[in-house]
Amino acid sequence: MSSVEVSAIIPTYNRRDLVVRAIDTALAQTRRIDEIVVVDDGSSDGTGDALRARYGERIRYAWQANAGVSAARNHGMRIARGRYFALLDSDDEWLPEKTERQLALLEARPDLGMVLCDVQRVDASGAPIDVLRRRDTIHEDGPALRWVIHNPALAPASAILRREVFDDIGGFDESLRTAEDIDFHLRVARRWPIGVVEAPLVRAMRGHDGLSAESSTYDDYVRVVERAIGDARGLVDDGELDRALASTYARNARGMLIRGRWSDALHLAGRAWRLAPDTGARREVLQLAPFAARRMLRQLLPR
């Protein structure tokens, strides 16, 4: 049996300076990380040399030809030796007590497959944006699909999971350019109970060089949720699933309006309206009209 309890999995690509900060926060945990697996997804900025010089044998460094963040995470989990996998993106940071507090819950609750924590989201300068509070979505520890289906957002750096979860559901979907995180969250929730530590133990950088700002993110998001809702039929009440899908359509129609994808936004809004099971659900669709008017007016006005 492996003596490695906790493996940190850190994918990176051309973030030589940022990944150093992420690794340092893994090394600073109050509960020791037994191995730190850094998977370099084909960097060309000298990441490997810099990490070998700074950390030596304190980390396991693996290089692969560029294949995307999902392939890098999956490779890291395949070669990791720990009983628990702690995910950490190279532009994010852990607070010192993160591992200790999350593992305490996992060890106290052997039924849980994954434990999440709250996330302090910051901009590229480190200034706070907001806090993603997991309890707003997952109302109690245990089976969580009926809640996650409404808001499957996941900061991978907030997750610690048992090796058995990876063995059971596989890793991140490498065919997805974006939305692979919400897909993973939904697949875990379908088969494993999830727990939450109600504290912001991660600082996640947003709005610099990530893929989440791409226009195709909205299409990937919708496709992932549609697939998950199809798989959840019979496990979650149909009315709950319809409400979640209507909200997904409305939320992503709003994003498409921001991108100027007017026809696609109208199509999604129509699907949301037809699917919405009650007045409350339709209110989210109705709110798109004034938002669209403001976006159109902004485009028409001289700059």
Side-chain angles (χ1 to χ4, degrees), residues 9-260:
I9 314 296
I10 308 177
T12 191
Y13 175 68
N14 284 341
R15 288 176 173 168
R16 182 183 58 196
D17 298 327
L18 284 175
V19 71
V20 165
R21 188 183 64 184
I23 293 170
D24 286 348
T25 68
L27 289 169
Q29 293 296 292
T30 56
R31 174 156 175 174
R32 180 175 177 270
I33 301 291
D34 298 290
E35 71 171 358
I36 297 174
V37 180
V38 179
V39 181
D40 186 342
D41 189 36
S43 295
S44 58
D45 64 348
T47 292
D49 290 339
L51 297 187
R52 280 187 286 267
R54 182 180 178 93
Y55 299 108
E57 294 185 356
R58 288 189 293 168
I59 68 171
R60 292 179 64 193
Y61 173 80
W63 187 93
Q64 66 176 29
N66 182 254
V69 65
S70 292
R73 284 197 195 106
N74 291 346
H75 182 52
M77 287 189 280
R78 279 193 296 269
I79 66 175
R81 296 170 295 184
R83 295 176 56 209
Y84 304 105
F85 295 160
L87 307 180
L88 175 57
D89 285 352
S90 56
D91 55 347
D92 295 338
E93 303 173 57
W94 287 342
L95 273 64
E97 294 182 355
K98 176 185 183 292
T99 307
E100 180 178 2
R101 295 184 65 175
Q102 287 185 288
L103 283 183
L105 180 55
L106 267 177
E107 290 170 344
R109 290 283 304 271
D111 60 310
L112 299 178
M114 181 168 73
V115 168
L116 306 176
C117 65
D118 297 340
V119 179
Q120 171 72 68
R121 292 184 283 208
V122 302
D123 64 21
S125 70
I129 299 173
D130 59 16
V131 175
L132 174 63
R133 301 191 186 281
R134 299 309 330 188
R135 200 56 91 194
D136 290 346
T137 299
I138 300 172
H139 302 308
E140 61 184 34
D141 297 339
L145 181 60
R146 60 182 168 142
W147 294 313
V148 171
I149 203 81
H150 288 278
N151 182 7
L154 175 70
S158 70
I160 292 184
L161 57 139
R162 300 182 193 276
R163 170 183 287 275
E164 292 87 347
V165 174
F166 176 69
D167 293 339
D168 178 31
I169 72 163
F172 289 79
D173 187 339
E174 297 177 23
S175 71
L176 292 168
R177 180 167 171 79
T178 61
E180 80 290 340
D181 47 357
I182 67 171
D183 172 75
F184 184 77
H185 196 188
L186 286 162
R187 286 190 289 116
V188 173
R190 185 171 184 268
R191 295 182 61 86
W192 290 84
I194 295 174
V196 171
V197 173
E198 297 181 59
L201 302 174
V202 171
R203 284 167 51 87
M205 190 183 298
R206 294 294 175 263
H208 59 119
D209 62 349
L211 295 173
S212 58
E214 291 190 4
S215 183
S216 62
T217 298
Y218 306 113
D219 304 289
D220 288 342
Y221 192 115
V222 168
R223 187 160 49 247
V224 162
V225 173
E226 286 178 334
R227 180 171 64 191
I229 285 178
D231 291 342
R233 296 289 178 187
L235 301 175
V236 177
D237 177 75
D238 281 347
E240 197 76 25
L241 295 176
D242 290 343
R243 186 175 292 105
L245 189 54
S247 180
T248 293
Y249 288 154
R251 189 162 55 243
N252 285 276
R254 184 183 182 92
M256 289 175 176
L257 289 173
I258 293 172
R259 287 287 177 177

